[in-house]
Amino acid sequence: MQLLSKTIVDQIKLRQITRIQELDHRPKLCVLVANQDSVIESYLRIKASYGREIGVEVLVDRIKYDQIEAKILEYNQSDYDGIVLQLPIDFDGEEDRTDYLLNLVEPTKDIDGLNDQGLFVPPTVMAISRLLDFSEIILGNQIQNVTVVGQGRLVGAPLVRYLESQGVGVTTVDDRDKLGQIIRQSQVIVSAVGNPELIESKWIQPGAIMIDAGTSDDQGAIYGDVDSEALDRDDIYITPPKGGVGPLTVAMLFDNLIKASEVGQSV
């Protein structure tokens, strides 16, 4: 059974519109893009559309790799409330400087929550948290343990830290050889690898919650980490590659933007 986030997003959106109307200025978001990719383009369209719907100004600034540092410093000094450096960056064979560039973003404007100073919780982490809250209703009891597949910078690692800070037990797995064995024993699984159909449907036990936060592109088609057979099962709950974690992540990004805007208003 597919676990869609539309109802949750619609509720969040109404709340955000009210909060924005109470501000003394229209929040402004700048997205710096230094890579061309179909998945990225899809995310950009969704962000721009969402911003228009709730009354936020969204600027997409398409730049070259060698412009990133100067652009970040420029927007740090601007009246934009939030700055997003869209990942991944195309370094074109040069040294990966992602961490350095992310830490150039002014922490009060880093609504992706990727700066080492970490003033904001990453939107995908908050999106998964909301889905886990919803999953507790489905299960009829509080979630005690979550299996997290993947320890990446954007989702896996910050998600583990967040869940542990909330008192939730976490089982992590990066070893492909043990993947099937661990998932078979898990009731709640979050995967954030970005490896198409890495997880086999047969591994997921009946009644399990499967939150698929891994997105990858193969010749224009969007895939999750879980094989497509799982999407047709009626005995599990699973987020699809489209309409699952993604829309809720965008909603949480704008939640962070509104918070950043409120902080700026109070200064």
Side-chain angles (χ1 to χ4, degrees), residues 11 115 168 186:
Q11 294 171 353
N115 190 294
V168 178
S186 305

Side-chain angles (χ1 to χ4, degrees), residues 1-2 147-149 176 179 183 188-205 208-216 222-233 235-242 245:
M1 186 178 300
Q2 294 192 20
T147 294
V148 178
V149 184
R176 185 185 293 263
L179 188 58
I183 288 178
V188 182
I189 310 114
V190 178
S191 185
V193 180
N195 188 334
E197 305 195 337
L198 169 70
I199 296 173
E200 297 183 28
S201 175
K202 65 182 181 182
W203 296 343
I204 307 171
Q205 64 170 284
I209 304 287
M210 179 72 239
I211 297 177
D212 189 349
T215 304
S216 51
I222 304 299
Y223 292 91
D225 285 347
V226 186
D227 75 51
S228 55
E229 291 182 12
L231 296 173
D232 297 324
R233 287 179 57 178
D235 62 341
I236 64 171
Y237 294 89
I238 180 172
T239 57
K242 293 184 179 181
V245 178

Side-chain angles (χ1 to χ4, degrees), residues 128 132 136 139 142-149 151 156 159-173 182 185-190:
I128 293 170
L132 291 174
E136 289 183 348
L139 295 172
Q142 186 176 2
I143 293 173
Q144 301 294 328
N145 188 277
V146 176
T147 294
V148 178
V149 184
Q151 295 292 293
L159 175 62
V160 169
R161 291 194 296 270
Y162 178 78
L163 291 175
E164 290 178 340
S165 75
Q166 301 301 304
V168 178
V170 179
T171 299
T172 59
V173 52
I182 293 175
Q185 300 170 353
S186 305
Q187 186 178 35
V188 182
I189 310 114
V190 178

